[in-house]
Amino acid sequence: MLSVVVLISGSGSNLRALLEATDSPLFPARILAVGADNPAPGLAHAELFDVPTFVVSPSAFESREAWGKTLLESVDFFKPDLVVLAGFMKILPPHFVQALNGRLINTHPSLLPAYPGAHAVRDALAAGATETGVTVHLVDEGVDTGARIAQRSLAVQAGESEGELHERIKVIERELLVSVVRDIAEGRLNLNQIS
Ligand code: GAR
């Protein structure tokens, strides 16, 4: 059984999809805890599923490194096999990424390497993209630069807003993230062999 810690910053709809999937005894992974960098609304999903939560806010620390150290200790406490960034909007310090090398993944609302960063959907629309999508990737020390694990695409519709497009992306994103976690848990996907 693959054990997972999920980190979020916002509404947590991807977290919710993981919680619902892993709630089934047939699903080969369990969520041990959910962490956030702020009192995120999405933490309520974890509470509903009786999953422990923790918040480690950067503002409580004098440096990003000190914040990352405490965040890492909070994650390590649960000894997860896998850590999933599901809408976690802070850049993690290098030592955090290195400590979880090969077992830290992120989901991102674009077809990376296109549109990395915090405003992927807005950037795709501003660039006039006709196609975008979602990428699940390994996290390295760059911003959305880690090796890609899986992608799904969708067509941008004429005149749609950033919010509308992001909601449509999230529908396929939740499915993709759940299926990647399942594939890792079932050994169909070996993160050490992704490059
Ligand atoms: C997701 O679309 C995720 O890909 C994105 O934030 C959203 C969180 O939604 N993450 C990034 O943009 C990271 N660069 P959720 O809180 O409803 O799961």
Side-chain angles (χ1 to χ4, degrees):
M1 186 68 73
L2 186 86
S3 60
V4 181
V5 166
V6 183
L7 298 180
I8 65 165
S9 295
S11 65
S13 74
N14 283 282
L15 164 66
R16 176 74 185 216
L18 286 170
L19 286 162
E20 286 175 0
T22 55
D23 201 39
S24 159
L26 298 177
F27 198 91
R30 289 288 167 268
I31 298 181
L32 301 180
V34 177
D37 61 308
N38 72 87
L43 292 172
H45 299 301
E47 282 149 22
L48 257 172
F49 283 77
D50 285 329
V51 170
T53 63
F54 56 89
V55 175
V56 185
S57 299
S59 59
F61 296 86
E62 60 189 22
S63 67
R64 211 157 64 89
E65 283 63 35
W67 165 68
K69 186 168 175 286
T70 299
L71 184 65
L72 182 61
E73 284 165 4
S74 306
V75 168
D76 276 349
F77 174 81
F78 294 95
K79 301 195 185 331
D81 300 316
L82 180 73
V83 179
V84 178
L85 306 182
F88 188 73
M89 302 305 284
K90 289 280 182 307
I91 294 172
L92 292 158
H95 70 83
F96 184 101
V97 174
Q98 285 155 11
L100 296 174
N101 182 35
R103 53 194 181 101
L104 178 61
I105 67 172
N106 178 46
T107 180
H108 182 78
S110 76
L111 294 174
L112 289 170
Y115 316 118
H119 305 291
V121 182
R122 189 182 309 169
D123 293 346
L125 284 174
T130 54
E131 188 189 41
T132 187
V134 58
T135 304
V136 178
H137 64 95
L138 274 167
V139 177
D140 67 9
E141 290 169 35
V143 177
D144 302 323
T145 51
R148 296 189 282 282
I149 299 168
Q151 292 186 305
R152 293 283 181 281
S153 64
L154 93 178
V156 177
Q157 291 174 355
E160 74 183 323
S161 69
E162 178 184 350
E164 288 164 345
L165 177 55
H166 200 167
E167 280 312 311
R168 289 200 307 116
I169 290 172
K170 283 203 215 179
V171 172
I172 57 172
E173 180 173 36
R174 294 189 279 263
E175 283 177 17
L176 185 66
L177 185 58
V178 168
S179 100
V180 165
V181 170
R182 180 194 290 276
D183 285 351
I184 294 169
E186 292 180 343
R188 271 195 300 278
L189 226 167
N190 183 343
L191 293 183
N192 297 315
Q193 285 172 2
I194 306 240
S195 55

